[in-house]
Amino acid sequence: MRAITYLEAVNEALDEALQDDPKVFLLGEDIGVYGGGFGATHGLQKKYGAERVRETPISESAIAGVAVGAAMTGMRPIMELQFSDFITVAMDQLVNQAAKIHYMYGGKANVPMVMRTAGGSGTGAAAQHSQSLENWMAHIPGLKVVQPANAYDAKGLLHAAIEDENPVMFYEHKLLYKTEMDVPKAKYTIPLGKADIKREGQDVTIVATGIMVEKALKAAELLAQEGISLEVVDPRTLVPLDKETIFSSAAKTKRVIVATEAVKNSGFSAELAAVIAESEISRQLLHPIVRLGGEFVPMPAQRLLEEMATPQIETIVQAAKQLLKEG
């Protein structure tokens, strides 16, 4: 074990996958000499050559189309979209092709591909480069959706995504790239569809995704100083969703917050809340589920406005206190 960054963990997983399986190759804009928009593919083209780390034109639909076609013929492509916002250009290939081919071919064809992309706010990159659109992909049958919240999960989940026989949408939050934690040097996988309790607690459960996991953990530290115990549950994968871990935590604390950075309106926070509300666990809750999410506005570029548009640590602290105050 050694401490490495989230970005280094992603790079390491890609390196290991390229080394272990000749069917794996990378494709995307500026992923070669430049090393990718955020540096995730740094050094890989020099090590494995331009055939396996392929520079592409600036055409997200072409990148996705090549990935789908290559996966259908037995390869295991890993495509990179520099910003998750650019998925809008590749929607037809991902939603109408990658997600549906296995079903429409009666199971005779698979699309084992991974789409990696950087999402989320916090860099002042404005409305076209700061969105959290993972909810769109979670809505599509046939796609798996992964959202690692730390370096350890990023490496293990990326290996699982690459080895999966289905198309996997892999979301990496830009603000997490520089965060560090202990990560094994050896290759390992974390099963898709298995949530993780990042911090155990007794008073309130928060089910948080992506960057909100880190904020929830910091909020838990502040709440602990006031004698409030917050349990932090990280689904890690939106699809498939580990409902049982969420239910178990909700049953223990009987108070639930769900938190995503993505816009609250029609967001995945609503799905998480509905899953709990429709279960038998809902009868045990002492208070209605609290839902935290982004404001229904295009993301501002100005940093203060950007913070106001998304849930922050203090937002979580206040929500937990209010839950306990109301019963």
Side-chain angles (χ1 to χ4, degrees), residues 256-284:
V256 179
I257 301 168
V258 295
T260 67
E261 184 181 79
V263 169
K264 182 177 176 181
N265 189 68
S266 299
F268 198 75
S269 59
E271 176 65 18
L272 290 169
V275 162
I276 300 167
E278 291 172 353
S279 73
E280 292 295 320
I281 302 302
S282 64
R283 300 180 182 181
Q284 302 178 37

Side-chain angles (χ1 to χ4, degrees), residues 92 112 121 152 208 327:
D92 181 61
S121 67
Y152 178 86

Side-chain angles (χ1 to χ4, degrees), residues 166-237:
N166 302 279
V168 181
M169 309 292 104
F170 198 89
Y171 284 86
E172 304 157 10
H173 198 287
K174 298 189 287 287
L175 290 186
L176 293 175
Y177 277 145
K178 293 182 180 180
T179 60
E180 290 188 354
M181 74 178 307
D182 288 342
V183 176
K185 291 184 179 181
K187 176 181 175 180
Y188 62 94
T189 61
I190 297 173
L192 304 186
K194 182 60 177 175
D196 186 37
I197 297 178
K198 291 289 192 278
R199 180 186 176 113
E200 293 192 0
Q202 302 297 324
D203 297 325
V204 180
T205 290
I206 180 166
V207 184
T209 63
I211 189 68
M212 295 308 299
V213 175
E214 182 178 87
K215 292 181 180 180
L217 289 170
K218 291 178 179 177
E221 293 286 344
L222 296 175
L223 288 164
Q225 296 173 17
E226 300 186 40
I228 299 172
S229 179
L230 183 68
E231 179 148 299
V232 181
V233 180
D234 176 9
R236 298 199 287 200
T237 61

Side-chain angles (χ1 to χ4, degrees), residues 58-75:
I58 303 175
S59 174
E60 286 75 19
S61 61
I63 296 168
V66 169
V68 173
M72 289 181 66
T73 60
M75 301 298 286

Side-chain angles (χ1 to χ4, degrees), residues 33 43 62 74 76 115 119 121 124 144 159-160 239 287 306 315-316 321:
V33 175
R76 305 191 84 87
M115 181 210 71
S121 67
K144 295 187 176 183
H159 273 304
V239 182
H287 190 278
E306 188 178 37
T315 315
I316 298 169
K321 287 182 178 180

Side-chain angles (χ1 to χ4, degrees), residues 37-319:
F38 292 89
T41 58
H42 177 73
L44 297 181
Q45 188 180 73
K46 183 177 181 180
K47 186 173 183 179
Y48 295 100
E51 287 292 308
R52 298 190 66 200
V53 182
R54 290 174 170 257
E55 298 270 11
T56 68
I58 303 175
S59 174
E60 286 75 19
S61 61
I63 296 168
V66 169
V68 173
M72 289 181 66
T73 60
M75 301 298 286
R76 305 191 84 87
I78 305 169
M79 58 174 282
E80 178 181 299
L81 298 182
Q82 285 188 356
F83 291 87
S84 68
D85 314 67
F86 302 164
I87 200 171
T88 56
V89 187
M91 287 293 272
D92 181 61
Q93 299 287 5
L94 296 174
V95 172
N96 289 328
Q97 306 302 328
K100 296 176 171 60
I101 284 170
H102 178 75
Y103 298 88
M104 296 183 73
Y105 280 41
K108 294 182 179 179
N110 293 319
V111 187
M113 59 172 281
V114 176
M115 181 210 71
R116 286 187 47 254
T117 191
S121 67
T123 61
Q128 295 173 333
H129 296 76
S130 302
Q131 297 170 89
S132 299
L133 300 178
E134 58 277 358
N135 182 69
W136 284 20
M137 299 295 101
H139 181 74
I140 306 302
L143 298 179
K144 295 187 176 183
V145 183
V146 181
Q147 200 172 17
N150 60 42
Y152 178 86
D153 288 353
K155 181 177 176 179
L157 289 168
L158 184 51
H159 273 304
I162 295 167
E163 294 169 7
D164 202 278
E165 292 301 317
N166 302 279
V168 181
M169 309 292 104
F170 198 89
Y171 284 86
E172 304 157 10
H173 198 287
K174 298 189 287 287
L175 290 186
L176 293 175
Y177 277 145
K178 293 182 180 180
T179 60
E180 290 188 354
M181 74 178 307
D182 288 342
V183 176
K185 291 184 179 181
K187 176 181 175 180
Y188 62 94
T189 61
I190 297 173
L192 304 186
K194 182 60 177 175
D196 186 37
I197 297 178
K198 291 289 192 278
R199 180 186 176 113
E200 293 192 0
Q202 302 297 324
D203 297 325
V204 180
T205 290
I206 180 166
V207 184
T209 63
I211 189 68
M212 295 308 299
V213 175
E214 182 178 87
K215 292 181 180 180
L217 289 170
K218 291 178 179 177
E221 293 286 344
L222 296 175
L223 288 164
Q225 296 173 17
E226 300 186 40
I228 299 172
S229 179
L230 183 68
E231 179 148 299
V232 181
V233 180
D234 176 9
R236 298 199 287 200
T237 61
L238 308 188
V239 182
L241 180 66
D242 179 0
K243 298 178 183 179
E244 294 308 315
T245 298
I246 295 171
F247 292 163
S248 177
S249 180
K252 178 172 70 172
T253 66
K254 297 179 173 52
R255 300 176 182 89
V256 179
I257 301 168
V258 295
T260 67
E261 184 181 79
V263 169
K264 182 177 176 181
N265 189 68
S266 299
F268 198 75
S269 59
E271 176 65 18
L272 290 169
V275 162
I276 300 167
E278 291 172 353
S279 73
E280 292 295 320
I281 302 302
S282 64
R283 300 180 182 181
Q284 302 178 37
L285 299 183
L286 299 175
H287 190 278
I289 299 163
V290 174
R291 188 158 63 101
L292 304 178
E295 297 295 329
F296 194 49
V297 295
M299 190 62 64
Q302 204 274 345
R303 292 297 180 89
L304 180 59
L305 294 176
E306 188 178 37
E307 290 181 4
M308 292 173 65
T310 54
Q312 301 299 323
I313 297 168
E314 187 58 31
T315 315
I316 298 169
V317 170
Q318 292 303 320

